[in-house]
Amino acid sequence: MLQPYKIALRINESRRFQETLFVNYMDYNDGLTLNEYAEKERKVLAMGFYGVEDFHIKVNEYLKFLDEIILS
């Protein structure tokens, strides 16, 4: 099950979004393809329920990164 706070914390601490996506995918994919997982993760993060405003800027950048993955 996706844990929005844990994902947002990883994003905030990450240097490379590709690595963060891969780690999140390995932990939470539940048999989904990478694109399907990216869409699911994007929906969860877009809700904004991860709890800490300090993550907002970096999570928004990550959402843009996910959009590129989803559209490719």
Side-chain angles (χ1 to χ4, degrees):
M1 181 174 162
L2 288 174
Q3 300 172 358
Y5 179 79
K6 188 174 183 178
I7 292 172
L9 184 61
R10 282 183 181 170
I11 292 166
N12 194 51
E13 295 173 349
S14 74
R15 292 184 188 176
R16 296 185 60 216
F17 289 151
Q18 296 88 346
E19 291 174 6
T20 304
L21 177 60
F22 183 71
V23 170
N24 291 345
Y25 177 69
M26 295 305 293
D27 287 347
Y28 303 110
N29 73 51
D30 295 327
L32 300 172
T33 66
L34 182 60
N35 279 358
E36 292 169 336
Y37 172 78
E39 288 179 32
K40 184 177 179 181
E41 185 175 276
R42 192 195 188 299
K43 287 177 187 175
V44 169
L45 289 171
M47 288 184 218
F49 295 125
Y50 33 88
V52 180
E53 284 297 317
D54 295 341
F55 300 161
H56 178 73
I57 293 171
K58 194 117 181 213
V59 169
N60 278 343
E61 292 174 20
Y62 185 75
L63 290 173
K64 291 176 188 175
F65 165 75
L66 287 178
D67 286 342
E68 292 176 18
I69 300 294
I70 293 167
L71 295 175
S72 63

